[in-house]
Amino acid sequence: MPAQREVNVHAKNDRSTFLSTLPAAQSDRTAALAIVAVSAILFALVVPFAGIPLIQVPAFVASYQSALAVNDIVTAVLLLSQFSILRSRALLLLSTGYLFAAAAAVTHALTFPGLFAPTGLLGAGSQTTVWLYMIWHGGFPLFVLAYGWLKDSNGGNKIEGPSARAIVLIVLGVVAAMAVIAWIVTAQHDLLPVLLRDGRYTTTMIGVVSFVWSLSFAALVTLWLRKPHTVIDIWLMVTMCAWLFDIALSAIVNVARYDLGFYAGRLYGLCAASFVLAVLLIENVRLQASTMGLVGRLREQSASERDYYSKRLALYGAVVESSNDAIITKSLDGIITGWNRAAERLFGYSAADAIGKPIDIIVPEDRKAEVRSILNRVTSNESIAQHETVRLRKDGRPIDLVLNISPLKSASGEIIGVSKIAHDITEEKQSREKLRREIEERQRIFETSQDLILVTDGYGKFIQVSPSVKDILGFNPEDMIGHSATEFIHPDDLEKTRGEMRAARRGAVKRSFEARYYHYDGHEVTLNWMGTWSEPVKRHFFIGRDLTDKQAAEAQLRQVQKMDSIGQLTGGVAHDFNNVLTVITGTIGILADAVADRPQLAAITKLIDDAAERGAQLTKHLLAFARKQPLQPREIDVNALVLEAAKLLHPTLGEQIAIMPQLTEDAWPALVDPGQLSTAILNLALNARDAMPNGGTLVLETRNIFLDDGYASMNPDVLAGNYVMIAVSDTGSGIPAELLERVFDPFFTTKEVGKGTGLGLSMVFGFVKQSGGHIKIYSEEGHGTSVKIYLPRSTGVQETEYEALQNVPITGGDEKILIVEDDALVRQYVVTQVKSLGYTALEAANAAEALTIIDVDKEIDLLFTDVIMPGNMNGRQLADEAARRRPDLKTLFTSGYTENAIVHHGRLDSGVLLLAKPYRKSELAKMLRTALSS
């Protein structure tokens, strides 16, 4: 396809086209200076001989005047042609000056004596021609002066109104002015001063000539000073120089008519009239030549463009027909005017079927208003891009399309129709919708996953982190995004993680490994990771499952298995040892009778008998731990049994320990061996006494308890149901946290050697388990210990008032509650229960984390905190600090200690709300509402 040729054509009012506004070039200045220099030299040569009389040739005057008039008229016409476009007031005055000079030359020739009549025509007198000469040579410089003052780089101020009217007015004005001047210098010439007498110039003539010469000089100076100079300005200055030489030779330095100065001055005047004309004519010839060349090039370009556009039209036609997108044109009334092959394939209509039909043949009924709206917008010269819509095939099947719509315009710019390109996006839209659903599903999985989902780049920097990180590691996703994984992985597991990532990048599709991450509060969290590497997106994808619950459950299972194994072992040993003791105790009596008369042997026999008795007690304890001791359960009143035990304990524990029974009214009866229960309480009381060498308080408490499924799920050996709780709490030294898991092991003791067998708690543990119950120990070093025995409620009894109260409908709420609990398993359980009641639950693992949340979230309604927590601040101190920051914040405490034990230990003020662990959902709901309403 030929390239389109361009021709640089000036606009009709381009200032560079006209000499009156075209800046003078250096060549113009050089040529003008050369002409002035030659003229000056010739002038200097002629001056000494200016007064020499020559032959009188009147025909010279006639020829000179005619040529002068013609030159001035042609110059004026050329200048007026420029004025008609530029409309410059200065240019109009200069044109008027040339018309005035032409009219004056004609009038001067008509009145010159000897040309057409002996004394001249029009009634001329002896002074007519000389005065006309002075008026003529003084008038033209005045017009040049006016031009010089009015001109600027754009030609001067503009004339308003039609240019033809201005031209007509100046022509009429010049004719009228010259008629008046001619009348004055002919009919009234006698009134004028005498300038010429007997062919000689008078003194008056010298003054008038000097004035006229001064006007010409002033015009020359004005043109010089009025910069910038145009081409016309330069040649007007040359003209004024010749004009000065003309006046000097023909009216100053010469003597009379027809002398050398007279003839030479006339020649200078003719040259003065020719300079500007010559430049204008030369420029016109150049412009004409340029115009002809331009016309030729335009014709050539026109032919080239016709060929170019015909080929382009053919190409466009081929593009339209070969396009994979439907291209349709229609008129403004909606009639189809164009229909390419792609439209035929897309809509099922042939071009013959579609062209001439309304566009409604492919528009669903519910989309016709849309078509009218589009047509109105396009009619307003608006283009519409990427408009998604639905159209119909010939067979009635809908098609999803994206339209690009533009107005069709005529050569004059009038909108005559509409062009639209239709792209079928049916499959694309289906794919897009499928992709959207997949992305949404994956996003939902990402947002709701209980496992931790991490996405990192090839350098291990987090790109995405699932919201579950808050529950698992305590961080917000934004706390980790942009950071390196090395900041969160345990140093000992860092190299293993890097090795797994390298293996994935080498092509291992899937791998499983364990690595520890740091929790927000500093403790370690073990996670089992499944990960893979995606080469196209250069990303690692990890799914981490928190093993905390699993490890806790496994630890509990191991503990249960250990206790069962130890129980089986000790039970077997105790059984066989009991058989041995039976023989010893059975024969020692016979031996004692035999040596009764021998005191020394009798004493030895007594020692053997005491040792056998102690062995029997030991085997009894071992059998109790192994849950193999013979029990005689019966339905008992636990309150009565505890009160009886309290009476027996007073002399045993001593005066320095205060015993405080706290018994629940209407306590349920329990099905249990009363003797074994009394022994268990005695063992727990003796342990409490040993933990309080300097005295203290022992609280004996009973309570009706329902252990729900949530609590049972955290304690595999517990069945959900109703239990009677008996709690033995002390204010002693407490048990270190690292020893709590071993306190029920047989023969384990924290007492000094010789001060205990280590079977007291293990016996209690075995008795409770054999009775179908549950035992839980809470202890904080320095704060005391609370052991809770849960015995199954006796069946076959009527529902008590307490039980009925606990089974009332559960009431929840929509407030926001902050749960503070250091045990992750318990915290998760509480959060689940609170959310199930309708509340918004926030969680924290310690006081520092809780205070951070309180500072950020001002909408928290209740602080639900454990009393005893590790760290620098316990629950009571947390509540005090929270109240200082948020005086309106309500608080509910919870603890593994019983309420009575907590109060009597002095850790909480009387009247403070406390929910003792464990608790049923109804108790939690009741206490939450009580706390929120307080």
Side-chain angles (χ1 to χ4, degrees):
M1 186 170 60
Q4 186 175 357
R5 300 172 58 190
E6 294 185 359
V7 178
N8 186 18
V9 182
H10 290 303
K12 66 179 182 177
N13 59 347
D14 189 345
R15 301 298 184 224
S16 64
T17 305
F18 306 105
L19 296 180
S20 56
T21 54
L22 181 67
Q26 186 59 41
S27 59
D28 297 316
R29 300 178 191 276
T30 303
L33 186 60
I35 292 174
V36 171
V38 171
S39 299
I41 293 170
L42 293 175
F43 174 76
L45 293 173
V46 172
V47 167
F49 310 101
I52 298 174
L54 298 177
I55 300 172
Q56 296 186 10
V57 185
F60 170 79
V61 177
S63 301
Y64 154 75
Q65 299 285 39
S66 300
L68 193 64
V70 170
N71 280 359
D72 287 344
I73 290 173
V74 173
T75 303
V77 169
L78 293 175
L79 291 174
L80 286 172
S81 67
Q82 294 189 20
F83 161 76
S84 64
I85 296 174
L86 298 176
R87 309 177 68 82
S88 166
R89 191 181 301 275
L91 197 58
L92 181 63
L93 286 173
L94 183 60
S95 304
T96 305
Y98 273 99
L99 285 176
F100 176 79
V106 171
T107 305
H108 185 272
L110 291 174
T111 59
F112 198 85
L115 291 184
F116 299 101
T119 59
L121 297 177
L122 305 177
S126 58
Q127 306 298 317
T128 297
T129 53
V130 67
W131 272 108
L132 279 173
Y133 181 85
M134 293 302 152
I135 293 171
W136 166 21
H137 282 73
F140 181 72
L142 286 174
F143 285 104
V144 175
L145 270 171
Y147 164 79
W149 283 110
L150 290 177
K151 83 175 190 71
D152 57 23
S153 59
N154 289 320
N157 295 332
K158 302 298 183 288
I159 295 292
E160 301 296 334
S163 58
R165 183 177 66 182
I167 294 172
V168 171
L169 288 176
I170 66 161
V171 171
L172 294 177
V174 168
V175 172
M178 190 49 61
V180 172
I181 293 171
W183 176 75
I184 292 173
V185 299
T186 54
Q188 305 296 324
H189 74 278
D190 292 338
L191 300 178
L192 299 174
V194 177
L195 302 179
L196 186 66
R197 183 177 287 116
D198 298 329
R200 303 281 181 176
Y201 297 139
T202 64
T203 305
T204 305
M205 172 69 169
I206 300 302
V208 172
V209 168
S210 299
F211 175 72
V212 170
W213 192 87
S214 299
L215 287 176
S216 298
F217 185 76
L220 176 62
V221 172
T222 299
L223 288 171
W224 176 258
L225 295 176
R226 293 288 289 169
K227 295 179 180 179
H229 296 144
T230 64
V231 175
I232 286 289
D233 295 343
I234 294 296
W235 292 104
L236 273 178
M237 286 189 275
V238 175
T239 297
M240 295 315 300
C241 287
W243 200 264
L244 288 171
F245 295 149
D246 173 13
I247 297 172
L249 287 173
S250 60
I252 297 179
V253 299
N254 73 327
V255 178
R257 290 175 178 167
Y258 297 110
D259 55 15
L260 181 59
F262 176 84
Y263 283 108
R266 292 299 185 270
L267 291 175
Y268 269 108
L270 183 59
C271 289
S274 303
F275 288 136
V276 173
L277 175 61
V279 172
L280 289 171
L281 288 175
I282 291 171
E283 187 62 23
N284 273 342
V285 171
R286 184 187 67 77
L287 287 175
Q288 185 175 6
S290 299
T291 302
M292 294 304 295
L294 177 62
V295 169
R297 290 194 298 274
L298 287 175
R299 286 176 178 170
E300 180 183 347
Q301 179 179 336
S302 177
S304 174
E305 287 182 353
R306 280 197 303 273
D307 181 60
Y308 167 75
Y309 284 115
S310 64
K311 291 181 179 179
R312 195 173 181 186
L313 185 61
L315 179 62
Y316 284 159
V319 169
V320 168
E321 289 303 320
S322 62
S323 172
N324 290 324
D325 291 333
I327 301 177
I328 304 169
T329 60
K330 64 180 180 180
S331 60
L332 294 179
D333 57 358
I335 301 301
I336 299 171
T337 58
W339 190 269
N340 71 341
R341 291 196 184 104
E344 294 180 337
R345 293 192 299 271
L346 181 61
F347 296 105
Y349 292 95
S350 67
D353 293 337
I355 294 176
K357 300 290 179 57
I359 196 68
D360 287 353
I361 62 173
I362 60 170
V363 179
E365 192 65 33
D366 60 342
R367 297 276 179 167
K368 292 189 177 177
E370 172 194 284
V371 173
R372 289 192 293 272
S373 173
I374 291 173
L375 194 58
N376 291 335
R377 291 169 62 185
V378 174
T379 305
S380 302
N381 199 26
E382 179 182 351
S383 295
I384 302 171
Q386 300 298 310
H387 175 73
E388 289 194 16
T389 186
V390 178
R391 292 294 181 262
L392 295 176
R393 282 181 51 85
K394 186 176 181 179
D395 57 13
R397 180 168 59 86
I399 315 169
D400 290 304
L401 301 174
V402 60
L403 302 179
N404 288 282
I405 307 168
S406 303
L408 282 177
K409 298 182 180 180
S410 65
S412 62
E414 178 186 0
I415 298 175
I416 57 174
V418 179
S419 170
K420 64 174 67 176
I421 300 174
H423 177 67
D424 185 4
I425 59 169
T426 304
E427 293 183 3
E428 178 185 334
K429 193 170 182 180
Q430 291 172 350
S431 300
R432 201 164 59 204
E433 178 62 22
K434 181 179 179 182
L435 178 61
R436 186 195 65 78
R437 286 198 302 268
E438 289 180 357
I439 292 174
E440 184 175 350
E441 288 170 0
R442 292 179 183 180
Q443 186 65 26
R444 292 290 177 269
I445 293 172
F446 183 79
E447 291 176 352
T448 59
S449 171
Q450 296 300 309
D451 292 331
L452 177 56
I453 303 175
L454 303 177
V455 182
T456 74
D457 61 14
Y459 301 99
K461 184 179 292 184
F462 290 120
I463 305 299
Q464 282 185 287
V465 179
S466 65
S468 57
V469 70
K470 181 65 177 176
D471 295 328
I472 297 174
L473 296 180
F475 292 97
N476 292 314
E478 54 269 20
D479 296 333
M480 300 178 68
I481 293 174
H483 292 268
S484 173
T486 57
E487 300 177 29
F488 304 90
I489 301 175
H490 193 284
D492 294 344
D493 295 338
L494 191 56
E495 191 56 39
K496 177 173 64 176
T497 303
R498 285 173 173 160
E500 292 291 343
M501 294 174 72
R502 286 192 291 267
R505 298 189 68 169
R506 287 195 300 268
V509 177
K510 187 188 297 183
R511 66 236 187 253
S512 175
F513 63 97
E514 289 186 8
R516 289 165 293 173
Y517 273 57
Y518 282 113
H519 193 274
Y520 179 81
D521 60 14
H523 74 266
E524 299 169 9
V525 179
T526 302
L527 295 145
N528 178 260
W529 292 102
M530 294 291 293
T532 187
W533 165 258
S534 173
E535 184 63 29
V537 296
K538 307 295 184 186
R539 295 285 187 267
H540 285 284
F541 294 86
F542 298 96
I543 299 177
R545 176 154 294 177
D546 185 3
L547 298 181
T548 303
D549 294 349
K550 179 184 176 184
Q551 290 173 336
E554 289 176 348
Q556 281 189 332
L557 179 61
R558 285 195 298 271
Q559 179 69 12
V560 170
Q561 290 173 339
K562 180 185 76 172
M563 299 300 286
D564 286 343
S565 299
I566 294 174
Q568 291 176 6
L569 175 62
T570 55
V573 171
H575 180 270
D576 293 341
F577 190 46
N578 228 12
N579 291 334
V580 174
L581 288 175
T582 301
V583 175
I584 293 172
T585 55
T587 58
I588 197 64
I590 300 172
L591 182 60
D593 292 339
V595 297
D597 57 343
R598 300 172 64 180
Q600 189 174 7
L601 293 177
I604 293 174
T605 305
K606 182 70 170 61
L607 287 175
I608 295 173
D609 187 51
D610 290 342
E613 181 62 28
R614 289 181 61 187
Q617 290 296 323
L618 178 60
T619 56
K620 184 177 181 182
H621 289 168
L622 289 174
L623 288 171
F625 169 75
R627 312 175 202 176
K628 294 181 178 180
Q629 64 177 330
L631 297 179
Q632 297 178 353
R634 59 186 178 86
E635 189 176 281
I636 64 167
D637 181 351
V638 292
N639 282 351
L641 187 143
V642 170
L643 285 175
E644 185 64 27
K647 293 177 183 178
L648 295 173
L649 287 173
H650 273 292
T652 304
L653 300 182
E655 296 297 330
Q656 74 275 18
I657 295 177
I659 301 175
M660 302 191 66
Q662 299 287 340
L663 309 179
T664 297
E665 294 183 6
D666 298 325
W668 294 327
L671 188 64
V672 68
D673 186 322
Q676 293 296 331
L677 179 57
S678 297
T679 302
I681 294 173
L682 176 62
N683 276 322
L684 294 176
L686 292 175
N687 279 341
R689 178 199 64 188
D690 295 339
M692 298 183 289
N694 299 320
T697 302
L698 179 71
V699 180
L700 301 176
E701 186 176 359
T702 62
R703 187 178 174 192
N704 295 328
I705 290 292
F706 177 80
L707 299 180
D708 59 13
D709 292 331
Y711 185 84
S713 66
M714 294 188 292
N715 297 272
D717 59 331
V718 175
L719 296 175
N722 292 313
Y723 292 83
V724 182
M725 182 199 75
I726 302 172
V728 180
S729 305
D730 64 65
T731 58
S733 57
I735 302 172
E738 64 271 14
L739 301 181
L740 274 176
E741 293 185 358
R742 302 180 59 193
V743 294
F744 293 125
D745 293 356
F747 306 111
F748 174 79
T749 179
T750 59
K751 300 175 184 177
E752 297 177 9
V753 178
K755 291 191 176 181
T757 62
L759 290 173
L761 284 177
S762 60
M763 185 206 73
V764 174
F765 177 87
F767 156 69
V768 171
K769 292 299 181 181
Q770 190 176 357
S771 300
H774 171 59
I775 186 169
K776 191 74 172 179
I777 184 167
Y778 296 91
S779 185
E780 298 285 344
E781 195 170 7
H783 294 283
T785 302
S786 182
V787 181
K788 296 181 178 180
I789 296 173
Y790 299 90
L791 299 173
R793 173 189 173 184
S794 177
T795 57
V797 297
Q798 297 297 319
E799 183 179 61
T800 65
E801 183 180 347
Y802 171 82
E803 187 177 10
L805 183 62
Q806 296 304 316
N807 289 328
V808 297
I810 297 174
T811 303
D814 57 2
E815 290 89 348
K816 185 178 291 187
I817 299 173
L818 173 59
I819 299 161
V820 187
E821 170 63 58
D822 59 298
D823 188 306
L825 195 61
V826 175
R827 185 170 66 251
Q828 182 180 354
Y829 164 71
V830 176
V831 168
T832 302
Q833 294 283 43
V834 169
K835 286 183 176 179
S836 71
L837 292 170
Y839 297 102
T840 300
L842 305 177
E843 56 181 292
N846 52 55
E849 187 176 336
L851 289 174
T852 301
I853 297 173
I854 290 170
D855 289 338
V856 172
D857 194 335
K858 303 301 182 183
E859 297 180 356
I860 298 173
D861 299 294
L862 178 66
L863 173 65
F864 183 33
T865 178
D866 196 4
V867 176
I868 307 299
M869 290 189 296
N872 298 326
M873 187 178 291
N874 60 31
R876 177 76 237 200
Q877 292 167 326
L878 167 62
D880 292 341
E881 179 61 22
R884 187 185 67 81
R885 301 186 186 190
R886 288 273 308 279
D888 59 330
L889 183 62
K890 299 177 175 63
T891 302
L892 172 62
F893 293 99
T894 184
S895 177
Y897 294 101
T898 64
E899 181 177 2
N900 296 305
I902 286 287
V903 172
H904 290 98
H905 289 181
R907 297 191 192 98
L908 289 177
D909 297 331
S910 178
V912 172
L913 293 175
L914 174 74
L915 180 60
K917 301 175 185 175
Y919 41 79
R920 65 197 303 175
K921 188 174 182 179
S922 60
E923 293 174 300
L924 174 63
K926 177 183 176 183
M927 289 301 293
L928 288 177
R929 290 314 318 162
T930 301
L932 287 166
S933 303
S934 63

